[in-house]
Amino acid sequence: MVRGVIFDMDGTMFDTEHLSTVTWRMAGEKLNLDIDDRLIESFRGGNPAQIRRLFSEALGPDVDYEYVKEVKHEFFEMLTKRDGIPIKKGLFELMDYLKEEQIPMAVATSTAHDRAVDIIRRAGAYEYLSACICGDAVEKSKPEPDIFWKAAEELGCRPCECLVLEDSTAGVMAGKAAGGYIIYIPDETDIPEEILDGITARMGSLLEVIDWIKTTNTEIRSR
């Protein structure tokens, strides 16, 4: 049975992958740096250390990554304070259902802890969670399964009893390796079909997940 649900954050709970692309571009334009879409795409699913390394490899060690990131975050704060955190379709419907069914929820995100918690709180989703595992809490980040294993442990579940919800290539690979259910919900990135081989399901939005959990748990109970 599905006894726990683990959400990726950016691109799965919130439409922040698109916003991240926009704000990286804005930072590049302001600082006259060539932060192109291919570089931004390479950041997706990476933890802070990986992103810093990719940035330095692309733009050189003399470019101050921390300063550029700070400028990017300032643009992110400006846009989200004006417009709010963009919520993915079906998020709160799914979270309300899970709360009603007493199925615990966790977030497993490559984003650094303080920033992730701030975004989740501002969106109004933090109170639903039993755990929030971030990229700086595990040694090996996605596509390794460690972050999902740790989230399952925090939920008091075996990994095979957990449903992972993901949108990125690294996240899907990690979810498959974790050993439980993995549902892919597309966002900014098209994932190669060979990566999707072996996933539990592909769905258009979080709304569809509700019926899937109902059906899956009902079928297992009736066996």
Side-chain angles (χ1 to χ4, degrees), residues 76-135:
F76 185 96
E77 292 302 307
M78 178 189 73
L79 294 176
T80 55
K81 284 179 179 177
R82 185 189 71 188
D83 303 326
I85 303 294
I87 308 298
K88 297 292 280 189
K89 179 181 177 182
L91 174 65
F92 286 109
E93 290 89 340
L94 174 56
M95 296 184 97
D96 283 335
Y97 167 74
L98 295 172
K99 183 178 180 181
E100 182 180 340
E101 293 296 310
Q102 299 184 337
I103 298 174
M105 294 163 261
V107 167
T109 176
S110 298
T111 301
H113 181 269
D114 290 350
R115 182 168 173 76
V117 169
D118 176 64
I119 291 170
I120 296 166
R121 284 191 189 280
R122 288 166 59 197
Y126 193 78
E127 65 183 31
Y128 289 85
L129 301 176
S130 297
C132 183
I133 312 301
C134 299

